[in-house]
Every structure is written in structure tokens, then in C-alpha cells.
Amino acid sequence: MSLKPMRQQVEEYIVGLQDTIVSALEKLDPNAPPFKRDSWIRTQGGRGQSCVFAVPEASESGSAHENLPVLEKAGVNISIVHGKLPPAAVKAMRVDHSSVPFDPLSPAVPFFAAGLSLVIHPRNPHAPTCHANYRYFEITESVQEGKESGSGKLLAWWFGGGSDLTPSYLYEEDAVHFHKTIKEACDTHGEAIYPAFKKWCDEYFLIPHREETRGIGGIFFDDLCDQTHHRLPDDAVRPRTPEDIFEFIKTAGDAFVPSYVPIVERRMKTPSTPHERRWQLIRRGRYVEFNLVHDRGTKFGLVTPGARIESILMSLPETARWEYMSDMGTDENSEEGKLMKVLKEPRAWV
């Protein structure tokens, strides 16, 4: 067991994981420009690094990926921040974290947060978008001004995260590979974890006003700590100590590259048509709708003092499309219709 504070352990891990993931993505397309590495300092406390890939919009004529980089837009960001949460952020957080203290007379709550968040939007309509997030959060007691940040008593802590796949065209072998890789990672820490967090993922990434999910799922979890968890049976084999939960986080984080990169390698040169590009952009419009209207992480980030807006909105695709009463996806026998079926009725993949 490490003698380092959990804050330091998490920080060291996400710094290394960011480098691993960015390197794997850059190897997909050695001729493309490298990711832009943008280190930043938060004046209210903390730091981060945004690694972002984007190129100027090119002509849409012909194949959507011909002579263009494999990735259209991507970001792999880390942040290690601390400070005090304002009432709006505390209120939003208490919806899902009842352990967060709230004193109306002194509503600002000291916090520490460290995490990695990524979204990958490949150019080819047959290569799926993927999102992942792994984070650690602490709430501490207020301390006298001038004392070291984080020196207050630890009141609450938890880990959260997940990874999910959002294809425009459904390839069953890709879906099975993605879920199988994640399930195998989860199973090493308890066989109850994957089914519980897979179900949570399907529920979380629902777009209520469309009555469809954003993608074909993966895992999603939050509030994972040493207390009873409402998504897991009390007698389930699962990590319960901070050290064991952190090991689970590392196993899940390390599974990202093998779960996703081989899928992009398999699909990035698939011939595509303007019709398929049009459908990809419509699906990206749905992605935008979820992220801006429903995603808790986006909402929390936007009400946090000193939030880095460019990093928060990095998840949005470079280009998206909305069509009034579009008929794409309405034919059940079309390739678009096959995807819509599983978005309306999530299914088991492994």
C-alpha cells in the first residue's frame, strides 16, 4: 500500500494515463499533426493540461475521410484543482452526493478534484466516437485562512468515471469487443460491477426528449467509496477501501486503449459516402444535445469558479447537423435504422 496521499496517487496516475492515451491516438495517424498540449494554471487553485486535436474544416466532397486525418476532433484532458465550491455547485452536487455538507450560513465548501476526461471524434462515419472519464473528489472541513490547502478534516471522498461508445453505424463485433474488454477489466474486481455499471450507463446517457440513448453504452459509475452503494448489492464482491477502489479505477482506465483503439484501426479506412457523413453529423447533433442539456459534468463545470470553458466544451464535435423532421433512421431495415433500434432498446453485448 502506498504511503502517498490519495490526491498525489491520483494525480500521478492521470498524468501518466493521459500520455499513454495521447501517444496511442497519435500512432493511429503518424502523418497527422500532433495533439496540441496546452498546460494551464487555475488562479483559484490547481492546474491541468488539455491535449487537443483539431484541424481546419476541409471540403466534404467525396469520401468523408479521403486524404484527411483519421481524427476530426479529439481531446484528452486532465485537471487537478482545489478551492471552494459556491452554493450553486454545492446544490447541484448534493443531488447525487448527499454526504456533501451544506451550511446555509457558510455555504462555500472546500474541495479537491482530480480527473481525466476524453472525447474522440473520428472523421470516418464508420469509426465510432468514444468518451471516457475517471475522477477523484474530496470534500474537506474549512480551515483558517493561511493554512495549507487540503489540511482540513476529510469529510467525504469518492471516485467516479466510465467509458462509453457512440457509433453512427452499428458493427456488432465492435460493440462486443468494446464491452468485452471493459467487462474483463471490471470482473477482476468483482463480477457484480460490470452489469450494474452497464445498466447505469444505459440510463445515464438517455436523451429523454428523443427517447433514445446517446450511444451503445459501456459503464458509468459515481459515488464509489467505502459506504454502501445504491447500485451494488451489500454482499457483492467489490472494492471498498480507498486503495482497492483506486486499483479498480486504474484497471478501468488502463482498459481504454485496448477497448477502443483497435476499433478505430479497423474502421478508419472504410469507404464512406456523403449520405453516411450526413447521418454521422445528425448523430453528432444528438451528442451535443445530451452534453449541453443533460450531462452533469458539463453543468457542474460551468458553475465552478475559475472553470476553463474551452476544456469543458472540448467534448463537442467540430461539426454537427440538425434536420427538421429528418427521415434518416426511420427505415428499420436501413443501416441507420439498425442503429436506432439499439438506441431505443439497449441490449446486452456480452
Side-chain angles (χ1 to χ4, degrees):
M1 183 170 61
S2 175
L3 297 178
K4 297 177 181 178
M6 184 55 70
R7 293 182 174 198
Q8 183 179 346
Q9 293 183 60
V10 173
E11 178 176 351
E12 291 175 355
Y13 173 66
I14 62 175
V15 168
L17 182 60
Q18 181 187 45
D19 185 63
T20 297
I21 293 173
V22 171
S23 295
L25 293 171
E26 288 180 332
K27 289 177 182 176
L28 278 172
D29 193 0
N31 296 322
F35 276 63
K36 177 182 179 180
R37 289 157 170 82
D38 179 21
S39 297
W40 49 269
I41 299 294
R42 180 174 178 267
T43 56
Q44 292 86 348
R47 67 180 184 89
Q49 180 174 247
S50 299
C51 294
V52 178
F53 180 90
V55 294
E57 182 65 19
S59 170
E60 296 296 331
S61 62
S63 179
H65 64 277
E66 186 178 1
N67 300 321
L68 295 171
V70 170
L71 302 181
E72 186 167 358
K73 185 179 179 185
V76 184
N77 298 348
I78 61 170
S79 61
I80 305 101
V81 299
H82 57 84
K84 290 191 175 183
L85 294 176
V90 174
K91 183 178 179 180
M93 182 171 288
R94 280 178 59 83
V95 173
D96 299 286
H97 303 284
S98 59
S99 61
V100 175
F102 181 71
D103 181 354
L105 300 179
S106 180
V109 176
F111 79 98
F112 169 86
L116 176 146
S117 181
L118 67 85
V119 177
I120 313 300
H121 293 292
R123 186 173 300 276
N124 193 303
H126 298 274
T129 287
C130 194
H131 157 263
N133 178 285
Y134 296 99
R135 58 194 179 274
Y136 174 66
F137 211 96
E138 287 183 359
I139 296 293
T140 59
E141 204 170 48
S142 295
V143 297
Q144 293 180 349
E145 189 173 347
K147 285 192 175 182
E148 181 182 355
S149 174
S151 61
K153 179 183 177 182
L154 184 62
L155 299 178
W157 62 270
W158 63 87
F159 287 90
S163 179
D164 61 283
L165 197 67
T166 305
S168 298
Y169 287 93
L170 183 63
Y171 289 90
E172 183 146 343
E173 64 179 306
D174 294 349
V176 170
H177 169 84
F178 184 77
H179 280 267
K180 182 173 183 289
T181 305
I182 293 175
K183 181 179 185 300
E184 290 174 349
C186 292
D187 285 353
T188 62
H189 298 270
E191 294 185 358
I193 294 175
Y194 171 78
F197 293 171
K198 192 270 184 188
K199 182 175 185 294
W200 199 352
C201 186
D202 290 335
E203 294 170 357
Y204 179 79
F205 289 106
L206 175 70
I207 308 173
H209 59 274
R210 297 288 188 181
E211 298 184 335
E212 64 192 48
T213 56
R214 188 177 75 175
I216 60 170
I219 60 170
F220 174 88
F221 60 94
D222 204 358
D223 212 15
L224 200 58
C225 61
D226 54 358
Q227 304 298 314
T228 298
H229 198 284
H230 69 288
R231 289 278 178 167
L232 295 166
D234 290 343
D235 60 351
V237 174
R238 71 171 182 89
R240 297 176 186 272
T241 66
E243 295 76 20
D244 287 345
I245 296 173
F246 182 44
E247 287 301 315
F248 165 65
I249 292 292
K250 291 192 290 184
T251 303
D254 293 347
F256 174 78
V257 169
S259 70
Y260 178 62
V261 171
I263 297 174
V264 180
E265 289 177 320
R266 187 155 55 228
R267 305 299 171 198
M268 64 187 191
K269 294 183 180 179
T270 302
S272 62
T273 66
H275 172 89
E276 291 166 338
R277 173 64 169 172
R278 175 185 160 206
W279 175 243
Q280 180 192 41
L281 296 183
I282 290 175
R283 293 312 311 166
R284 286 186 177 171
R286 299 292 200 270
Y287 203 94
V288 171
E289 290 176 26
F290 177 85
N291 282 30
L292 294 183
V293 178
H294 299 292
D295 185 62
R296 291 195 331 230
T298 301
K299 290 180 178 180
F300 175 76
L302 293 177
V303 298
T304 301
R308 201 163 191 272
I309 304 303
E310 290 298 323
S311 295
I312 294 171
L313 299 182
M314 169 276 301
S315 64
L316 302 181
E318 192 82 9
T319 310
R321 183 180 180 94
W322 284 265
E323 294 184 5
Y324 182 74
M325 302 296 287
S326 176
D327 61 352
M328 293 197 79
T330 58
D331 179 358
E332 295 182 358
N333 297 317
S334 67
E335 292 302 314
E336 296 80 15
K338 292 176 183 177
L339 173 70
M340 290 305 302
K341 180 174 175 57
V342 300
L343 298 185
K344 296 285 187 180
E345 302 174 7
R347 53 166 286 193
W349 297 103
V350 290

